Amino acid sequence: RKEVEQDPGPFNVPEGATVAFNCTYSNSASQSFFWYRQDCRKEPKLLMSVYSSGNEDGRFTAQLNRASQYISLLIRDSKLSDSATYLCVVNDNDMRFGAGTRLTVKP
Amino acid sequence: DAGVTQSPTHLIKTRGQQVTLRCSPISGHKSVSWYQQVLGQGPQFIFQYYEKEERGRGNFPDRFSARQFPNYSSELNVNALLLGDSALYLCASSPAVEAFFGQGTRLTVV
């Protein structure tokens, strides 16, 4: 089993759609979780941390379920500029990345 | 404030050669990590350094080595390059658990 697994994608959605990405992790002792965004041929950029209580940043909502070892990211009212690859990251002393899920938002 | 800076941005090397990649962390960050990202995959952890000491090593061969200097900058060295070493090499600096990445060095081995 991979340490961090994500929906394979790709996701192709129209502007204004709501899209959800899922991620599972294998180490039940993991403590820190993040979503990063990576544009084509660019470096990953921190989108948001994921807290146990769930957290929201504008149109983005992240959820953590420790019992199921599951992380999610919800994007509401998708914009063209949201098109990117979204990386699920678990920090176990070093950062473990999922393979990423590619999102394309179309007009 | 300057972000994480890496040099060079692009590099072409021949099989068997050696390469050194450089990274300057964000000012005040003492932890530097290196990652390899091949096309279609997420970044894979190579090394982490904190206060000049190696704190972690990923599943990479001994051809990969790194060090951190007193000013917290870091170098990644790869010996005896293979075609499979072609990738984007990312450096990240951390104040705590979050990581901030440089733009990467794109290495092509021919």
Side-chain angles (χ1 to χ4, degrees):
Chain A
R1 182 183 174 188
K2 290 183 180 178
E3 292 170 308
V4 182
E5 291 199 68
Q6 294 186 238
D7 285 345
F11 285 64
N12 298 302
V13 303
E15 271 188 293
T18 295
V19 61
F21 302 139
N22 302 316
C23 171
T24 57
Y25 59 96
S26 61
N27 184 359
S28 60
S30 297
Q31 294 295 317
S32 304
F33 309 91
F34 307 93
W35 284 100
Y36 278 72
R37 168 199 170 121
Q38 186 171 28
D39 293 290
C40 189
R41 303 184 73 82
K42 299 284 189 180
E43 75 273 21
K45 292 187 178 178
L46 179 64
L47 180 65
M48 57 197 304
S49 302
V50 186
Y51 303 119
S52 296
S53 55
N55 48 299
E56 187 174 307
D57 183 2
R59 299 181 292 108
F60 298 84
T61 300
Q63 297 278 353
L64 169 64
N65 184 321
R66 286 188 184 273
S68 301
Q69 295 177 213
Y70 171 93
I71 307 162
S72 66
L73 176 68
L74 184 76
I75 305 176
R76 292 182 300 277
D77 188 24
S78 299
K79 311 292 184 190
L80 296 177
S81 57
D82 293 334
S83 297
T85 296
Y86 290 83
L87 297 161
C88 175
V89 184
V90 176
N91 192 337
D92 295 333
N93 296 317
D94 57 80
M95 288 197 147
R96 308 286 171 161
F97 285 78
T101 302
R102 183 165 180 81
L103 171 67
T104 301
V105 181
K106 299 186 174 181
Chain B
D1 284 344
V4 179
T5 57
Q6 292 186 241
S7 63
T9 55
H10 294 82
L11 201 54
I12 299 176
K13 289 286 190 177
T14 304
R15 277 180 298 175
Q17 284 189 313
Q18 171 266 340
V19 67
T20 298
L21 311 181
R22 297 176 176 83
C23 171
S24 292
I26 293 171
S27 178
H29 291 189
K30 299 180 180 180
S31 174
V32 170
S33 299
W34 288 95
Y35 296 82
Q36 180 195 66
Q37 186 175 26
V38 299
L39 198 62
Q41 297 183 21
Q44 298 296 309
F45 171 72
I46 310 176
F47 286 110
Q48 182 190 25
Y49 277 80
Y50 181 80
E51 290 278 18
K52 298 177 291 179
E53 290 191 5
E54 183 182 301
R55 287 296 182 91
R57 174 186 285 253
N59 188 24
F60 280 81
D62 292 343
R63 299 184 295 108
F64 289 76
S65 62
R67 55 180 175 169
Q68 187 178 32
F69 298 99
N71 66 353
Y72 304 114
S73 67
S74 178
E75 288 182 351
L76 175 70
N77 190 74
V78 187
N79 291 323
L81 285 166
L82 304 174
L83 295 179
D85 295 331
S86 295
L88 179 67
Y89 287 85
L90 294 160
C91 173
S93 75
S94 301
V97 293
E98 298 163 334
F100 299 90
F101 287 84
Q103 83 281 8
T105 294
R106 191 164 298 279
L107 172 66
T108 302
V109 182
V110 298

